[in-house]
Every structure is written in C-alpha cells, then in structure tokens.
Amino acid sequence: QLTVGRNIGFMPDNYDIAANVLFESIDDYRIYAEDETHWAFVRAYLLPNLETRCAVQFDLDEAEGAA
C-alpha cells in the first residue's frame, strides 16, 4: 500500500512531500528495495528531483505494541 502526501505547511521547515509504503512482511520490503524496476524509477524520477531524503523502516506491529 502506497500513500503519498504534500506538507500542509503547518511546520514550514519540514519536508515538502512524504511517502508511506506498507508491506505485508519484511521480506516483501527487501524484495521491493532490491528490485531493479524500483531502482530504475528512483534513478529516472526521484534522484534528479531530490534535494534531500529521509527514510525510516519500522515494524508496525512492534510500533503499535510500544504505545
């Protein structure tokens, strides 16, 4: 599941856009992260337009259990 959104401007020093990608498993994420089609997209469309990037991977089940 992919969700993308723009910064609403409440905190203007934050990043301009965010993407949240939900995978069924860590193995599914690894397949995605290593996929050549994914990297072709990154090289063609993302890297030429990125000033900076911030990424975090976390286990949603563990995050919900920590609350």
Side-chain angles (χ1 to χ4, degrees), residues 3-49:
T3 307
V4 177
R6 292 180 182 261
N7 184 354
I8 61 173
F10 182 71
M11 301 292 287
D13 291 338
N14 287 350
Y15 287 93
D16 296 324
I17 193 167
N20 181 20
V21 185
L22 181 62
F23 295 92
E24 290 292 322
S25 69
I26 293 172
D27 288 335
D28 287 345
Y29 166 74
R30 288 184 179 124
I31 291 167
Y32 161 81
E34 296 171 0
D35 183 77
E36 184 52 39
T37 302
H38 164 72
W39 281 104
F41 176 84
V42 168
R43 286 189 297 272
Y45 299 102
L46 297 182
L47 293 180
N49 296 295

Side-chain angles (χ1 to χ4, degrees), residues 45-60:
Y45 299 102
L46 297 182
L47 293 180
N49 296 295
L50 287 177
E51 186 174 313
T52 60
R53 176 181 177 266
C54 176
V56 176
Q57 292 78 36
F58 66 96
D59 186 320
L60 188 57

